[in-house]
Amino acid sequence: MNGAGRTSLLPLLVALLFVAAPDRDVRAELHFSYDGRFSSEERIKLQTWITDVHAGVESLVGQFPFDVDIRFKRTRSSQPVPWANTRRGRRQGITFNVDPSFSLDELKADWTAAHELSHLIFPFVGQRNSWFSEGFASFMQYQVMHEMGEISADEARRRYLAKLDRSSARYRYPDRRFVETTPRLRAERKYPVMYWGGSVLFFRLEERLQDQTGAGFISLLSTYLECCRTGRDELETLARDLDRILGEPIVSGEIRKFRAEVGFPSYDSIAIGIVPKAN
């Protein structure tokens, strides 16, 4: 190809690069699908519910850098959402087993959507680190519900402490490191013990960062979503990304101390409740 030909392609290549570049102002979307028969009224109600919870999460941490697929499976139950799970892979999503006979207010008063959507803030870091993933989502769920106006700060604190106290009382391995016991807790179906034990790490991180920087752990997450939420699945990589944002190895250091702790993680000397929002 001659020089004139190469020059004539340059504007086209520049245009293609411009089109291919991600637009940071484009808002990620929720995509809904349904397993089972749902009336149009039920679909509107369910979509309103998830849209409101999603807005509550993003109000705290900023926009997700990807679309989220939401799938509803119809069920009959004594509670609005008897079961849900986060789906990972090329598309990030959540499946909700939901009884659509419950009202919108009852759906919004349920913690499940706040918990599951919070999972998507971080990539999946493996089952062996489920104490981290579930601890984070448990820590976030009442923060989100408070942000939505569903519960007061006093009610959130009451719920957190009730969950922690109950989980601590059910922990049966006082001479073993908590993180090492999580596979056994899972086998014994003591999931709440693992979830709420893991949440202590994030209350500690929140308090330490508030003391050192004036802005807590949650305030890091908007920057993390913008720079680093690429789907990598190593906890060490995630901790390094957060430390880079902070400029010092605080997150990795707190995780290291948490891994070494024997017994149910201590929470008596830290602030438990709704965290203050960064200015």
Side-chain angles (χ1 to χ4, degrees), residues 38 47 51 58 62 73 96 113 122 148 229 238 273:
F38 291 83
Q47 291 185 26
T51 299
E58 290 198 330
K73 290 188 175 182
F96 291 98
F122 289 145
M148 294 171 61
R229 177 61 169 90
L238 170 58

Side-chain angles (χ1 to χ4, degrees), residues 108-111 138-139 141-147 149-164 166 196 203 272-275:
K108 290 171 68 174
D110 185 279
W111 56 266
S138 298
F139 163 76
Q141 68 189 46
Y142 296 137
Q143 308 291 331
V144 173
M145 293 180 72
H146 175 262
E147 185 70 11
E150 290 298 312
I151 58 175
S152 67
D154 287 344
E155 174 63 13
R157 174 177 166 77
R158 187 194 69 76
R159 292 190 189 188
Y160 277 130
L161 289 174
K163 297 288 189 182
L164 286 164
R166 189 177 304 120
W196 290 103
F203 285 110
I272 301 295
I274 297 301
V275 305

Side-chain angles (χ1 to χ4, degrees), residues 81-94:
V81 194
W83 183 75
N85 71 288
T86 305
R87 291 179 280 109
R88 306 293 194 157
R90 188 179 64 85
R91 299 279 292 191
Q92 302 286 294
I94 304 167

Side-chain angles (χ1 to χ4, degrees), residues 45 50 104 121 144 160 180 244 263:
K45 176 171 59 178
I50 295 300
L104 177 59
I121 295 167
V144 173
Y160 277 130
E180 293 175 351
R244 261 196 307 272

Side-chain angles (χ1 to χ4, degrees), residues 29 31-32 67-71 87 91-95:
E29 295 181 348
H31 299 277
F32 298 98
D67 292 352
V68 179
D69 291 334
I70 303 293
R71 181 182 305 156
R87 291 179 280 109
R91 299 279 292 191
Q92 302 286 294
I94 304 167
T95 299

Side-chain angles (χ1 to χ4, degrees), residues 25-43:
D25 292 330
V26 174
R27 190 176 186 84
E29 295 181 348
L30 297 170
H31 299 277
F32 298 98
S33 61
Y34 300 86
D35 289 351
R37 295 175 63 87
F38 291 83
S39 69
S40 59
E41 292 82 4
E42 288 171 340
R43 293 186 180 208

Side-chain angles (χ1 to χ4, degrees), residues 24 56-66 117-123 132 136-137 139-141 143-144 202 205-206 209 215-229 238 241-243 245-246 251 275 278:
R24 295 178 67 86
V57 175
E58 290 198 330
S59 178
L60 287 173
V61 304
Q63 293 183 22
F64 286 115
F66 45 76
L117 281 163
S118 293
H119 269 307
L120 298 181
I121 295 167
F122 289 145
F132 179 93
F136 173 69
F139 163 76
M140 286 295 296
Q141 68 189 46
Q143 308 291 331
V144 173
F202 299 96
L205 279 166
E206 184 66 40
L209 290 174
F217 182 75
I218 288 178
S219 68
L220 288 179
L221 301 180
S222 61
T223 304
Y224 172 81
L225 286 172
E226 289 179 3
C227 75
C228 310
R229 177 61 169 90
L238 170 58
D241 287 340
L242 293 168
D243 285 341
I245 296 169
L246 287 167
V251 175
V275 305

